[in-house]
Amino acid sequence: MSRLPLDQVEAFVTAARLGNLTRAAERMNLTVSALSHRMRLLEQRLGHRLLARGPRGVEPTPEGQRLFDAIAGPLATIEHALRHASVRSDNTVTLSLIPSMATAWLVPRLPAFLAGHPELALNLQSSTHVVDFEREPVDLALRLGAGHWPGVRAELLFHESIVPVASPALVERHGEPALDRLAELPLLGDPADRWKDWFARFGGQAPERYVARFDDTETLHQAAVQGMGVALARWTLAEPLVRAGRLVPLAREHLPAGFGHYLVYPERSVSHPGFAIMREWLLEQAAGPSA
C-alpha cells in the first residue's frame, strides 16, 4: 500500500477527536463536503469504515478506534514540532472572536487601529468555536465568560451588563413605563431567561407569557429593532443599535450579566511584537467610555 496522505489522516483524527464533522471542518478551515471527501478516500484506501454516525455526531468504528489510538499521539507530536519550527511573522497578528462581538464592538474600532499601525497585518477569525491555541496558529482571542480557562492567560476587558430596550416606534406607542411596570409592555423572552432577575432587582413581576422567546441574542435584538417587543439586551451588542437610533434603552440602570469579555492568549504570544501592540490597543479600547 502506498503511503497515506497526511491530509486524510488529519481529517480522520480531527473528526474522531471532536465527534462532529462541522466542528472538525471549521478547525481545519475546510467545508464539511471537503472533509467528508478526505474521509471517504481514506476509508477506500483501508477498505473499511472509520467513523459511524451516532446520536450526538460521529464516533469511531472499532477499526477506526484502533487506528485513532495508534496515530493520534504521533500526529499531535508532528503538529507541535511543525508549529514551533515555523517562522513567525512579527507584523501579522491573528485574532479569534465570536461574530457578534466582531460586528458590534471590534470592527467599528478597527479603521483607526489599522490607520495608526500600517505595518501590521491583522488576520481576523470570526467563529463561535473556542480556539485551541495548542493546535491553531492564533495569537489572541476575545472570549465571553468568567475568566477561567486552563493553559492561557486571561485579562478582563470589561464586564457585560443587560438592559431593557425597545424600538422608537414601540416607545412612541406605549410610552416609557416605570421600572416596575415594564411587564405592561410586550416582552420578548431572552436566551438566559434573565427577566426574572431584572424584576427581582428593580421591582415588578415577569409576565406569565412572552410575545415570543428567542434562543439567540442577535435574533432577539433584531426582533426588538423591528418593534416586536421589549428585549432584555446585552449592552455590548445593543449599544451600537442605540447609537444608530434603532433602539431606545428603557432604563438608566443596568443589571450585571455575571460574566465579562476577556482578552485570552497563550504564553507563546508574549514575545510576539505584533501581539504586544494589539494587546495594548485592546486594553485601551476596553477602558474607554463606550466599551
Side-chain angles (χ1 to χ4, degrees):
M1 179 184 297
S2 61
R3 290 180 297 176
L4 299 180
L6 186 59
D7 60 344
Q8 297 174 19
V9 174
E10 183 184 13
F12 162 66
V13 170
T14 304
R17 180 179 287 116
L18 297 178
N20 183 285
L21 294 182
T22 300
R23 289 171 56 199
E26 289 179 352
R27 179 68 57 85
M28 297 184 65
N29 294 317
L30 298 172
T31 64
V32 175
S33 177
L35 179 78
S36 299
H37 178 67
R38 293 186 183 185
M39 285 296 310
R40 285 194 298 272
L41 291 177
L42 183 60
E43 290 176 335
Q44 291 171 4
R45 283 173 172 270
L46 298 179
H48 48 250
R49 293 285 302 279
L50 297 175
L51 293 177
R53 294 193 176 276
R56 297 183 179 180
V58 294
E59 53 190 25
T61 63
E63 294 84 359
Q65 188 64 53
R66 285 193 290 271
L67 179 62
F68 179 85
D69 293 340
I71 67 175
L75 183 62
T77 300
I78 294 172
E79 292 175 342
H80 186 271
L82 291 175
R83 182 169 59 251
H84 289 275
S86 62
V87 177
R88 293 280 304 160
S89 175
D90 289 345
N91 66 347
T92 299
V93 181
T94 300
L95 169 65
S96 172
L97 74 170
I98 59 176
S100 59
M101 187 64 171
T103 302
W105 191 81
L106 182 66
V107 171
R109 292 168 162 82
L110 279 182
F113 171 76
L114 295 175
H117 298 281
E119 77 282 6
L120 291 183
L122 180 61
N123 179 19
L124 201 63
Q125 295 187 358
S126 179
S127 173
T128 57
H129 94 274
V130 177
V131 64
D132 182 352
F133 288 108
E134 283 297 314
R135 296 178 55 84
E136 300 175 60
V138 174
D139 299 302
L140 67 163
L142 301 186
R143 289 183 183 174
L144 190 65
H148 307 296
W149 295 279
V152 296
R153 294 188 183 185
E155 297 183 76
L156 177 66
L157 293 176
F158 51 88
H159 292 289
E160 183 63 274
S161 62
I162 51 181
V163 63
V165 296
S167 70
L170 188 144
V171 174
E172 184 177 351
R173 289 198 307 271
H174 295 275
E176 292 189 32
L179 287 184
D180 59 354
R181 305 292 293 275
L182 277 176
E184 296 178 3
L185 300 183
L187 302 186
L188 305 175
D190 62 288
D193 197 20
R194 297 299 301 273
W195 275 115
K196 294 179 181 178
D197 298 328
W198 176 270
F199 287 114
R201 177 76 172 270
F202 298 110
Q205 186 173 359
E208 293 184 2
R209 63 180 297 274
Y210 296 98
V211 175
R213 286 184 174 274
F214 297 86
D215 61 1
D216 174 73
T217 300
E218 287 190 272
T219 306
L220 169 67
H221 292 182
Q222 288 304 313
V225 168
Q226 298 303 319
M228 187 180 298
V230 179
L232 196 55
R234 275 176 42 193
W235 183 244
T236 302
L237 305 184
E239 195 262 348
L241 298 173
V242 171
R243 288 202 315 267
R246 302 178 68 191
L247 287 176
V248 176
L250 300 184
R252 292 186 177 182
E253 294 81 355
H254 286 209
L255 180 68
F259 49 81
H261 295 270
Y262 287 82
L263 172 61
V264 180
Y265 53 93
E267 187 68 30
R268 60 173 165 79
S269 292
V270 175
S271 60
H272 179 28
F275 159 80
I277 295 172
M278 189 75 184
R279 171 184 173 274
E280 181 178 0
W281 178 79
L282 287 169
L283 293 174
E284 290 176 353
Q285 294 300 305
S290 61

